[in-house]
Amino acid sequence: MALLLDSNIRLWVVLPIVFITFFVGVIRHYVSILLQSDKKLTLEQVSDSQVLIRSRILRENGKYIPKQSFLMRKFYFNNQEDGFFKKTKRKVVPPSPMTDPSMLTDMMKGNVTNVLPMILIGGWINWTFSGFVTTKVPFPLTLRFKPMLQQGIELLSLDASWVSSASWYFLNVFGLRSMYSLILGQDNGADQSRIMQEQMSGAAMAMPADTNKAFKAEWEALELTDHQWALESVEEDLMSRELDFDGMFSKELPSGIF
Amino acid sequence: MIENREMRDKLRKWREENCRNSEQIVDVGEELISEHASKLGDDIWIIYEQVMIAALDCSRDDLALTCLQELEKQFSDSHRVKRLSGMRLEALERYDEANKDYDAILQDDPTNTAARKRKISILKAQGKSAEAIRELNEYLEQFVGDQEAWHELSELYINEHDYGKAAFCLEELMMTNPHNHLYCEQYAEVKYTQGGLENLELSRKYFAQALRLNNRNMRALFGLYMSASHIAASPKVSAKVKKDNMKYAAWAATQINRAYKYTDTLKRHIVHLGGHAEAAMKQYPLPVFDSGWLVAGPRRTNAP
């Protein structure tokens, strides 16, 4: 079905919506920077996270140190009476949104900066640019999509591929994500889909509450680890062929020899 | 214009690689700050920090003070700037005032690692190595992941001739950086210095590992030769162990000879090409050894 659209639509609808979306996104980014609250970590949290990292490294790379040293460290962590993982119990307060006021404000701030503008502007665009078709999506759609994508247009016979300005707006919101990364750098506050992803996965993470569980998991993992010394046959491996001295005396490697 | 950009790139490269060529940094940085300050934009603050630390290294107190004052004007309440002001007091040997600065930072933010490390350096500068070791141990109990600190502690222990504990610190470093041949080699040297058959065997293995990671590590090659010959010469070993170690030592010796021949051919090649033997020798210096090199001595690190 071929429709010829007034070129004024392109000039006064399509382009303004793109600009509006883009600038609102940039403003959102800066507002989120202003509203950002400092996350203060306690000394204990920092220390615990580093201990967990050390234990994990011991499991993964323990094979590079002598057997005695590995056993000594494993004993330090896992000893029945006073191993670190057995002995340390941290006070655990699960930070639910109701009890922890800072998390509540964080959530509110997230909502205000992201969802609210989207709804407001989407509604305004719908109200301003209503009653006409804006653009055509390049792929065919079923009739089910008509009420969703053709908000103000009451034409039964119109192809569902022709969409109204509100859908063009939403297309822009998601499409300009890569533009934001280009201009504002990675990790910018205007990236809505990333934020939505975070919200979904954040519910599943909740790490600081589970230090005890993390310790227990590490204890079990470390118990199971054995020491397979990587240096068992290092001399034989080394002597299987001549040493490669290429580039030994080149100016770019002042410390290549020593 | 071009010079400006070149200088900025050089400074950035040195910053990222943590080079300690303070005189060069002061030269380039001073010119950059005095001539092109307006063209630097926001980069100027990090350049101020870099030049200030280099100036302290070269005893250029005037330059350090100017940089510090600019930074304090811009970032009046910052911990990072406070640390720099503490470093300047350290350079002037006003250690008590510097300590007061760092304590103030720590009261505000107990997780600030930079302030703690500066306090430990003050103890080291004052020569109180036992206290420095104790403080560093406490620091490492809290921040087990800090590799710079582990290396510093291993150096302190080596200076105190406590090789067992130095080996422990180097083991931590080897675990976190399994592909770094320098840590393997330093560990092997510490084990060699400790002495005793078991430690000699370990040192031989770690010299071999360092060589495996980097075939060009001459120091490890010599270490392999010496530890293997030492074990072979020891009266307490079995015949098989003796034979094995003599084989390792012989192999190491052939490799050393090959390395020297390699430089010979290089030199002949260069002389043949241009006859500029002097320049060639300067460009490709031969490794120089004396008998005492294998005692694990303190190594200069590049940490600021």
Side-chain angles (χ1 to χ4, degrees):
Chain A
M1 180 183 206
L3 281 179
L4 185 62
L5 291 178
D6 193 348
S7 53
N8 279 328
I9 292 183
R10 174 193 64 210
L11 191 58
W12 294 107
V13 177
V14 173
L15 292 178
I17 290 187
V18 175
F19 285 135
I20 291 174
T21 326
F22 184 68
F23 283 121
V24 166
V26 169
I27 292 175
R28 256 215 319 262
H29 166 69
Y30 286 118
V31 166
S32 68
I33 290 186
L34 284 174
L35 292 182
Q36 224 174 35
S37 56
D38 269 331
K39 256 196 300 209
K40 279 245 167 149
L41 290 171
T42 67
L43 184 53
E44 210 178 70
Q45 279 175 324
V46 174
S47 174
D48 284 345
S49 61
Q50 293 203 354
V51 168
L52 284 170
I53 292 177
R54 180 172 178 231
S55 160
R56 186 182 51 132
I57 295 228
L58 180 65
R59 272 187 292 125
E60 292 173 12
N61 291 339
K63 56 187 188 210
Y64 294 110
I65 57 177
K67 188 173 186 116
Q68 197 57 33
S69 319
F70 174 81
L71 290 175
M72 182 163 60
R73 288 168 167 85
K74 183 172 166 179
F75 185 78
Y76 163 75
F77 277 124
N78 278 13
N79 183 23
Q80 280 301 342
E81 292 99 48
D82 56 7
F84 185 82
F85 287 144
K86 281 260 155 196
K87 191 176 48 148
T88 334
K89 297 275 173 243
R90 299 275 179 232
K91 258 209 318 263
V92 164
V93 175
S96 92
M98 297 307 128
T99 58
D100 195 359
S102 67
M103 269 201 49
L104 191 61
T105 41
D106 270 341
M107 247 172 51
M108 248 189 53
K109 269 186 251 177
N111 281 338
V112 165
T113 41
N114 295 314
V115 178
L116 209 60
M118 193 163 80
I119 297 178
L120 283 176
I121 295 185
W124 176 78
I125 287 186
N126 203 10
W127 176 79
T128 336
F129 301 114
S130 66
F132 53 84
V133 154
T134 305
T135 181
K136 178 173 194 264
V137 294
F139 42 85
L141 290 174
T142 65
L143 290 173
R144 300 271 304 276
F145 287 102
K146 273 184 75 163
M148 185 165 64
L149 297 176
Q150 291 179 352
Q151 266 287 359
I153 310 158
E154 315 292 347
L155 280 180
L156 285 176
S157 60
L158 188 56
D159 223 331
S161 304
W162 295 97
V163 297
S164 69
S165 19
S167 19
W168 173 242
Y169 169 68
F170 282 113
L171 210 70
N172 270 290
V173 165
F174 292 110
L176 284 173
R177 209 165 25 108
S178 39
M179 284 280 289
Y180 292 143
S181 322
L182 198 63
I183 298 187
L184 299 171
Q186 287 289 52
D187 207 32
N188 61 70
D191 202 343
Q192 267 211 329
S193 61
R194 188 183 59 95
I195 292 171
M196 288 199 268
Q197 258 185 345
E198 263 183 27
Q199 281 180 344
M200 282 186 260
S201 65
M205 275 202 319
M207 216 195 60
D210 286 350
T211 331
N212 282 334
K213 290 214 193 80
F215 281 176
K216 187 144 197 328
E218 269 302 320
W219 180 85
E220 285 173 10
L222 195 52
E223 274 290 307
L224 297 172
T225 335
D226 244 345
H227 182 256
Q228 304 280 2
W229 203 21
L231 271 60
E232 212 43 82
S233 57
V234 61
E235 288 102 346
E236 307 303 322
D237 288 339
L238 184 62
M239 300 200 215
S240 59
R241 59 193 130 131
E242 301 284 340
L243 290 181
D244 178 17
F245 292 129
D246 234 342
M248 163 127 61
F249 296 107
S250 124
K251 217 157 101 165
E252 285 98 55
L253 297 171
S255 56
I257 310 175
F258 300 106
Chain B
M1 241 325 129
I2 301 174
E3 284 177 18
N4 178 8
R5 209 171 328 140
E6 242 186 61
M7 291 199 270
R8 279 168 88 168
D9 286 339
K10 269 202 218 164
L11 279 181
R12 186 181 20 176
K13 180 162 109 70
W14 291 330
R15 200 165 51 227
E16 286 168 8
E17 295 176 0
N18 223 348
C19 302
R20 200 172 168 174
N21 49 341
S22 309
E23 283 168 0
Q24 285 178 301
I25 296 181
V26 163
D27 280 336
V28 175
E30 191 170 15
E31 187 177 335
L32 206 58
I33 295 175
S34 47
E35 308 288 316
H36 309 284
S38 49
K39 303 188 199 121
L40 288 171
D42 267 339
D43 265 356
I44 196 168
W45 309 116
I46 198 149
I47 289 182
Y48 271 139
E49 186 184 27
Q50 187 181 9
V51 171
M52 184 190 159
I53 295 183
L56 288 177
D57 225 4
C58 300
S59 283
R60 289 284 311 273
D61 292 330
D62 51 332
L63 182 57
L65 192 58
T66 10
C67 295
L68 182 64
Q69 282 168 339
E70 291 295 319
L71 284 168
E72 277 180 340
K73 258 198 306 207
Q74 177 73 7
F75 305 105
S76 46
D77 238 348
S78 152
H79 284 163
R80 197 160 157 179
V81 175
K82 218 177 166 96
R83 162 188 167 238
L84 287 175
S85 114
M87 279 175 87
R88 184 181 148 264
L89 291 170
E90 274 184 65
L92 298 171
E93 299 202 3
R94 284 147 67 173
Y95 295 125
D96 292 322
E97 297 179 37
N99 259 322
K100 268 211 287 273
D101 264 348
Y102 297 137
D103 284 331
I105 299 182
L106 283 174
Q107 204 160 32
D108 206 21
D109 176 15
T111 63
N112 189 316
T113 56
R116 284 176 178 230
K117 292 204 252 196
R118 289 319 307 170
K119 288 184 68 156
I120 296 174
S121 331
I122 290 182
L123 289 172
K124 191 171 167 198
Q126 291 174 313
K128 303 180 181 161
S129 35
E131 288 184 35
I133 289 182
R134 198 184 48 225
E135 291 289 317
L136 194 46
N137 267 311
E138 273 179 34
Y139 170 82
L140 276 171
E141 246 175 84
Q142 305 278 351
F143 301 97
V144 239
D146 190 339
Q147 296 177 30
E148 201 179 67
W150 279 115
H151 205 184
E152 190 63 33
L153 186 59
S154 81
E155 258 187 51
L156 286 173
Y157 276 135
I158 289 176
N159 281 334
E160 299 292 309
H161 302 297
D162 196 343
Y163 297 116
K165 301 214 180 84
F168 183 90
C169 304
L170 287 168
E171 279 161 10
E172 290 291 320
L173 287 169
M174 281 201 298
M175 272 202 305
T176 42
N177 305 285
H179 301 294
N180 186 330
H181 65 106
L182 296 170
Y183 291 144
C184 283
E185 185 221 304
Q186 208 174 7
Y187 181 71
E189 290 173 3
V190 168
K191 283 290 167 194
Y192 184 93
T193 317
Q194 268 185 302
L197 192 56
E198 220 179 87
N199 287 329
L200 280 176
E201 298 234 329
L202 270 179
S203 92
R204 187 196 69 223
K205 286 225 177 266
Y206 279 95
F207 276 129
Q209 171 75 344
L211 268 179
R212 191 162 64 158
L213 290 171
N214 180 357
N215 272 342
R216 300 187 291 254
N217 192 331
M218 279 307 282
R219 207 162 153 146
L221 187 52
F222 272 85
L224 177 61
Y225 173 76
M226 290 189 67
S227 50
S229 354
H230 210 126
I231 300 179
S234 156
K236 290 182 268 179
V237 292
S238 68
K240 176 174 185 312
V241 171
K242 210 183 189 91
K243 199 169 69 119
D244 280 339
N245 278 291
M246 285 177 54
K247 183 178 73 167
Y248 299 147
W251 182 87
T254 20
Q255 296 305 315
I256 296 177
N257 277 324
R258 263 192 68 226
Y260 276 87
K261 284 220 182 57
Y262 187 80
T263 75
D264 266 348
T265 47
L266 255 177
K267 267 195 303 180
R268 261 184 267 134
H269 192 63
I270 291 168
V271 170
H272 171 77
L273 275 182
H276 300 296
E278 285 290 286
M281 287 292 275
K282 280 212 188 68
Q283 243 197 2
Y284 302 101
L286 284 176
V288 176
F289 298 98
D290 62 47
S291 59
W293 69 273
L294 265 182
V295 173
R299 229 180 257 255
R300 196 176 91 159
T301 55
N302 276 333

